[in-house]
Amino acid sequence: MDAPSGWIIFACSIAFASASFFEVRYPSVVVSAETGGNLTIAAGPNGGNIYMTPGDRGTVFIGRTDMLKLFQIVNSQPPVWGQKAPYGTLGTFLGGQAVSLQLTAMDPEGTSLHYEKISGALPPGVFLDRASGLLNGTAPDVDATYEFGIRVMDEQGKYADQTFTIDTRERDQCRSSPCKNGGSCTDDMGTFSCSCRTGYGGKTCTISCASESVGVANNLKTIPDAQMAGHYSFGGSDHKAYEGRLNSPTGWIGENTNSWFQVDLGNPRKVYAVATQGYSATFNLLTFQLQCSLNGNTFSDVNGLNGTAAVFDGSGTSFNTVTKQTLPVPDLCRYIRFVPKTWTNSHPGFRVEIYACEDF
Ligand SMILES: *[C@@H]1O[C@H](CO)[C@@H](O)[C@H](O)[C@H]1NC(C)=O
Ligand SMILES: *[C@@H]1O[C@H](CO)[C@@H](O)[C@H](O)[C@H]1NC(C)=O
Ligand SMILES: *[C@@H]1O[C@H](CO)[C@@H](O)[C@H](O)[C@H]1NC(C)=O
Ligand SMILES: [Ca+2]
Ligand SMILES: [Ca+2]
């Protein structure tokens, strides 16, 4: 009788232990139905049992499915939330405050969990770490309630959903009195703005505008050469506008009272003061007027309190003396022109600086 090794021929191996029991012991036992047939294991009608009992390290497969594992999953429990109350608020946070909230859940089977937002919205700036369940970030500066659903899932794919809320409150950024020198504060979303008293500027009114150089001076040069212009210069081209910087070794020299020297600040600023230095006994400045423009095209006189063009003192013939003049009324200008009125000897010659604040 030839049979494939490892296989048994049924007829040869039946061992009758008793009238109601038989046993087959081989490394592999295969029982198969013919093609188109059925393999049927049926207990008798009078209460017989069917057992499938794998060894300690064995299991039971149907097809490729590990039936023991499947039953374990079927019988397993979903995770349980530590945070109980539905719609439970997780807290109230002030704008800018750090948020660090640990969501807690556990799986009765002890498998590891991961968290996922399934509905609603987290506060902008707060993020969920899916592996740890940590809600972390910074509260937005608004009055709002954020409601969101979180699903916690175990390794068996079982999950529990929970809805949470986080409340945020807009913080009053003016509470710390950030505006100095009598400036008034306006609170905003995440920020504030100051309205400074006359003479002060900057985000928090700490800048004294009459001392805030725009940077024409030779040692500063914040204003580039290209933003300086001279009209009707002495000697045609001998003296360039960029020589008109305070403390420059030379100076700008005009021709007569039709000449002007212009600085483009680059953007509109409130001009509070100007300073001049003379150039020499020959080229100097005794008095001048100022003109101001926002577009570089239309200029108006800088006036005195009496409403007519103010006349300012220059430094005369002194090379070193800086003569600073405050505008009677601070003027918003992008372009500012120095118009020489009087000088001694030959021609008006001078060097300048301008003091101004950004107009907030
Ligand atoms: C297999 O089982 C089915 C369902 O009980 C039955 O209809 C069919 O006749 C069986 N086939 C054979 C070959 O016994
Ligand atoms: C939480 O957020 C803060 C600021 O947004 C960040 O510095 C910190 O590293 C975060 N912590 C964790 C554990 O992600
Ligand atoms: C008006 O005031 C300015 C400076 O305040 C002065 O230079 C000018 O001479 C005054 N004009 C008249 C007409 O008083
Ligand atoms: Ca579970
Ligand atoms: Ca605010």
Side-chain angles (χ1 to χ4, degrees):
M1 192 183 301
D2 37 309
S5 71
W7 288 63
I8 55 162
I9 299 303
F10 207 62
C12 306
S13 57
I14 298 170
F16 290 93
S18 74
S20 59
F21 185 90
F22 84 91
E23 186 174 322
V24 182
R25 290 175 186 271
Y26 266 84
S28 287
V29 179
V30 176
V31 182
S32 62
E34 292 293 322
T35 304
N38 299 315
L39 173 60
T40 305
I41 303 173
N46 298 322
N49 296 323
I50 297 169
Y51 290 94
M52 287 186 197
T53 312
D56 283 349
R57 280 162 291 153
T59 187
V60 177
F61 290 93
I62 293 183
R64 285 165 190 261
T65 304
D66 181 333
M67 296 312 287
L68 295 190
K69 209 168 246 173
L70 180 65
F71 293 145
Q72 237 171 36
I73 291 173
V74 168
N75 290 327
S76 75
Q77 300 298 308
V80 180
W81 278 102
Q83 280 94 357
K84 289 291 182 204
Y87 297 90
T89 181
L90 291 172
T92 302
F93 297 87
L94 271 179
Q97 192 182 343
V99 175
S100 181
L101 294 164
Q102 181 62 60
L103 299 179
T104 55
M106 57 88 71
D107 179 21
E109 283 76 36
T111 72
S112 66
L113 301 174
H114 78 271
Y115 300 78
E116 193 180 344
K117 183 174 77 65
I118 50 164
S119 64
L122 290 168
V126 175
F127 305 94
L128 171 67
D129 185 280
R130 294 164 59 113
S132 68
L134 181 69
L135 288 165
N136 188 46
T138 306
D141 191 36
V142 288
D143 288 323
T145 297
Y146 297 90
E147 184 180 305
F148 49 91
I150 303 286
R151 171 166 296 175
V152 58
M153 190 179 283
D154 65 18
E155 284 182 355
Q156 295 136 350
K158 299 223 168 158
Y159 59 81
D161 296 344
Q162 176 77 282
T163 305
F164 299 103
T165 59
I166 291 178
D167 289 302
T168 60
R169 294 281 170 270
E170 198 201 347
R171 193 194 290 267
D172 180 4
Q173 271 82 8
C174 287
R175 261 180 69 166
S176 58
S177 305
C179 305
K180 305 304 176 195
N181 293 307
S184 60
C185 183
T186 305
D187 179 43
D188 207 342
M189 300 293 185
T191 185
F192 63 90
S193 58
C194 293
S195 172
C196 302
R197 281 177 53 206
T198 304
Y200 294 99
K203 168 97 176 136
T204 56
C205 306
T206 49
I207 295 172
S208 174
C209 301
S211 308
E212 186 73 0
S213 311
V214 303
V216 181
N218 209 43
N219 52 316
L220 299 174
K221 285 194 177 170
T222 316
I223 301 289
D225 291 349
Q227 284 174 221
M228 298 167 69
H231 173 70
Y232 211 10
S233 301
F234 171 63
S237 59
D238 283 2
H239 289 272
K240 307 288 192 216
Y242 60 74
E243 293 178 277
R245 298 179 182 278
L246 204 76
N247 299 320
S248 157
T250 62
W252 180 76
I253 303 174
E255 191 62 47
N256 55 35
T257 52
N258 293 321
S259 303
W260 45 253
F261 175 80
Q262 174 178 299
V263 177
D264 172 5
L265 301 178
N267 60 330
R269 295 185 217 179
K270 207 143 208 186
V271 177
Y272 282 79
V274 297
T276 58
Q277 283 173 315
Y279 181 10
S280 67
T282 312
F283 306 115
N284 62 65
L285 187 64
L286 292 183
T287 61
F288 64 96
Q289 291 183 337
L290 291 172
Q291 292 182 335
C292 168
S293 171
L294 288 171
N295 59 14
N297 215 358
T298 322
F299 283 80
S300 53
D301 290 329
V302 171
N303 286 336
L305 294 173
N306 55 23
T308 63
V311 178
F312 298 95
D313 287 332
S315 290
T317 59
S318 168
F319 186 76
N320 289 323
T321 306
V322 174
T323 299
K324 194 162 170 179
Q325 299 276 284
T326 305
L327 275 61
V329 185
D331 213 346
L332 188 64
C333 317
R334 172 173 168 179
Y335 303 86
I336 187 147
R337 282 180 183 173
F338 294 75
V339 184
K341 286 293 164 189
T342 58
W343 52 92
T344 59
N345 294 328
S346 164
H347 287 83
F350 55 94
R351 297 161 290 161
V352 312
E353 178 59 284
I354 297 167
Y355 304 87
C357 272
E358 303 284 346
D359 191 46
F360 283 101

